Amino acid sequence: MRPNVRRTDPRLQAITETIERLIPGAAPANMTVYVIEQLADDHQNEWSGPPDGLAEKIFTALYGRPETGVELSPLAQAEEAKRHRDLGTEVAVLNGAHAALTKADWYPARSGDLVHIHYEQAGDFAAFGETYLIDDVGGGLFSMQLLAHNSPLMPDELEGSIGCFAAEAADDPLYEAWFEAGPHRLTIIRDGRPVHMGSAR
């Protein structure tokens, strides 16, 4: 798998989306870009790759290499592998994330656990965090309710951006946040002590 690249840079996203829209309605995971140089002697040179591969080359020529070293969530890693048609890596990432969660010594979540999710700055959006409370709602199900956040967004901008991992009743309330936000963004507190500390700074 290629090294992780910060995909939140709006310039890189704009270039990628422009290339993906060259064929309206096409699924980006199924697209390949071909660039062909036709030579006089009926020979040709060519380059081919996925839309995000071409976008990265254009971005690098304009702005330098995209920032590297930013950890991606398991879902983002799996989507990256899928875009590169790497089924083995896609499956390994998802299975590895599942095992990392379900085999943790603090798993499963318990009533009273606090879950804090940190989001890095992305483009014009400042870094912020959300804190959730896990509660037993009976029948082997748990809720995950948003307690607080420090997003600078105005109330009319919050819809869909804050509290997206809240759950009324789930058998595993951490699963979605673990895969979509990523374990590196999660800090889980049990009985006043951290049992999982993500690596996001």
Side-chain angles (χ1 to χ4, degrees), residues 82-193:
K82 185 175 185 176
R83 277 194 295 274
H84 292 93
R85 298 176 179 88
D86 187 348
L87 180 61
T89 298
E90 181 183 356
V91 171
V93 165
L94 295 174
N95 286 341
H98 173 81
L101 173 61
T102 58
K103 293 183 179 180
D105 57 5
W106 49 263
Y107 183 85
R110 294 184 194 165
S111 184
D113 285 355
L114 292 173
V115 180
H116 181 78
I117 305 175
H118 167 79
Y119 300 94
E120 301 91 353
Q121 179 178 345
D124 295 332
F125 294 98
F128 71 97
E130 300 177 305
T131 302
Y132 295 84
L133 173 66
I134 304 288
D135 193 20
D136 189 339
V137 295
L141 301 176
F142 294 85
S143 66
M144 187 161 135
Q145 298 301 318
L146 179 68
L147 288 181
H149 70 84
N150 66 343
S151 172
L153 294 175
M154 300 301 291
D156 62 336
E157 300 174 296
L158 294 177
E159 187 175 352
S161 302
I162 303 298
C164 63
F165 294 112
E168 293 296 325
D171 57 356
D172 193 343
L174 293 174
Y175 207 81
E176 189 175 352
W178 187 268
F179 276 81
E180 291 189 25
H184 61 290
R185 292 190 177 100
L186 303 184
T187 300
I188 301 168
I189 308 293
R190 177 171 294 159
D191 301 329
R193 296 178 182 268

Side-chain angles (χ1 to χ4, degrees), residues 12-71:
L12 181 55
Q13 287 180 330
I15 295 168
T16 303
E17 290 167 7
T18 298
I19 296 168
E20 291 170 349
R21 288 191 204 111
L22 288 172
I23 302 176
N30 298 331
M31 293 181 73
T32 301
V33 179
Y34 292 95
V35 178
I36 299 172
E37 176 193 23
Q38 189 67 50
L39 302 173
D41 57 1
D42 289 332
H43 288 84
Q44 61 187 32
N45 293 319
E46 64 179 59
W47 177 91
S48 65
D52 61 341
L54 177 58
E56 191 173 317
K57 288 180 180 297
I58 294 169
F59 183 95
T60 300
L62 294 173
Y63 310 110
R65 294 284 307 157
E67 181 182 340
T68 58
V70 173
E71 194 169 355

